[in-house]
Amino acid sequence: MSVRVVVADDHPVVRSGLVALLGLEADLEVVGEADDGAQAVTLARELRPDLVLMDLRMPGTDGAEATARIVAELPDVRVLVLTTYETDTDILRAVEAGATGYLLKDTPRAQLVAGVRAAARGESALSPSVARRLVQQVRGDGGERLTPREREVLAGVARGLSNAAIGRELFIAEATVKTHLLRAFAKLGVDDRTRAVTVAIERGILPGA
């Protein structure tokens, strides 16, 4: 099955380039193009794509705000941020809005395509420099301790629960669950749910089977 993608970027040349690049892949189908965040939200509602490839800084409704709207209204639609900006503020805004991943526009083609596929599956996709910044943020005191909430979220993952189910159990939004997971991934030095649980058990953070 092909991954249906909406590309949102306010620069026509960049947007056209992304559409052409993704069009070379047999399993990726660009079904819509948006030149700002508001249009990205509208197209997500109308087309129900698997993924929105979202620029961050756009006029009017920016990428973070558009991401938050899409994630809140259409939880089955993933959002992958693709931007030239990698400040701590930009990264945290995108992650807290519910973005599944955060890639930079200088990402090599093969890694970008792999990131689109991973994000469409609900897996986090982070540029190396972005991952390092997240690690620095969550390890500000030089430690690697998970917060109580991060441990609760990981425990839910270990029990096989989806992000939505964990959110219902803990009375928090699914986007908040994703934020806790990304921060736990950074602390544990992993990039997927299965490895996070394995490492947490190995370190005694979660009880073994």
Side-chain angles (χ1 to χ4, degrees), residues 134-143:
L134 281 173
V135 169
Q136 290 167 358
Q137 290 170 39
V138 299
R139 294 183 182 174
D141 61 355

Side-chain angles (χ1 to χ4, degrees), residues 88-141:
D88 292 352
T89 300
D90 287 323
I91 294 168
L92 282 179
R93 281 193 69 216
V95 170
E96 289 173 353
T100 302
Y102 195 111
L103 297 178
L104 300 178
K105 287 183 177 177
D106 62 358
T107 299
R109 176 182 174 277
Q111 292 179 24
L112 172 58
V113 170
V116 167
R117 292 183 178 122
R121 295 192 298 268
E123 301 171 8
S124 60
L126 299 172
S127 288
S129 60
V130 172
R132 285 194 297 271
R133 283 183 176 274
L134 281 173
V135 169
Q136 290 167 358
Q137 290 170 39
V138 299
R139 294 183 182 174
D141 61 355

Side-chain angles (χ1 to χ4, degrees), residues 78 122 153 157 161-168 172-174 177-178 181 193:
R78 312 292 185 183
V153 169
V157 172
L161 298 181
S162 66
N163 288 351
I166 293 170
R168 288 193 295 270
I172 58 178
E174 184 177 358
V177 173
K178 293 178 183 177
L181 272 179
R193 296 162 68 93

Side-chain angles (χ1 to χ4, degrees), residues 8-141:
D9 196 296
D10 62 321
H11 293 96
V13 173
V14 173
R15 192 170 65 247
S16 297
L18 290 170
V19 170
L21 184 153
L22 297 177
L24 296 174
E25 304 298 321
D27 61 331
L28 303 180
E29 178 188 4
V30 177
V31 295
E33 300 179 41
D35 58 15
D36 60 32
Q39 189 177 15
V41 174
T42 298
L43 289 178
R45 289 173 181 151
E46 294 176 353
L47 302 174
R48 302 298 174 100
D50 300 299
L51 178 85
V52 178
L53 189 60
M54 183 82 74
D55 190 15
L56 199 58
R57 298 191 186 181
M58 294 182 286
T61 303
D62 68 11
E65 183 179 347
T67 296
R69 292 183 187 178
I70 291 170
V71 169
E73 186 176 335
L74 305 164
D76 291 334
V77 178
R78 312 292 185 183
V79 179
L80 174 59
V81 168
L82 182 66
T83 180
T84 57
Y85 303 98
E86 56 177 322
T87 68
D88 292 352
T89 300
D90 287 323
I91 294 168
L92 282 179
R93 281 193 69 216
V95 170
E96 289 173 353
T100 302
Y102 195 111
L103 297 178
L104 300 178
K105 287 183 177 177
D106 62 358
T107 299
R109 176 182 174 277
Q111 292 179 24
L112 172 58
V113 170
V116 167
R117 292 183 178 122
R121 295 192 298 268
E123 301 171 8
S124 60
L126 299 172
S127 288
S129 60
V130 172
R132 285 194 297 271
R133 283 183 176 274
L134 281 173
V135 169
Q136 290 167 358
Q137 290 170 39
V138 299
R139 294 183 182 174
D141 61 355

Side-chain angles (χ1 to χ4, degrees), residues 152-161 166 193 197-198 201 206-207:
E152 289 175 335
V153 169
L154 265 187
V157 172
R159 285 159 41 217
L161 298 181
I166 293 170
R193 296 162 68 93
V197 170
T198 300
I201 291 173
L206 294 178

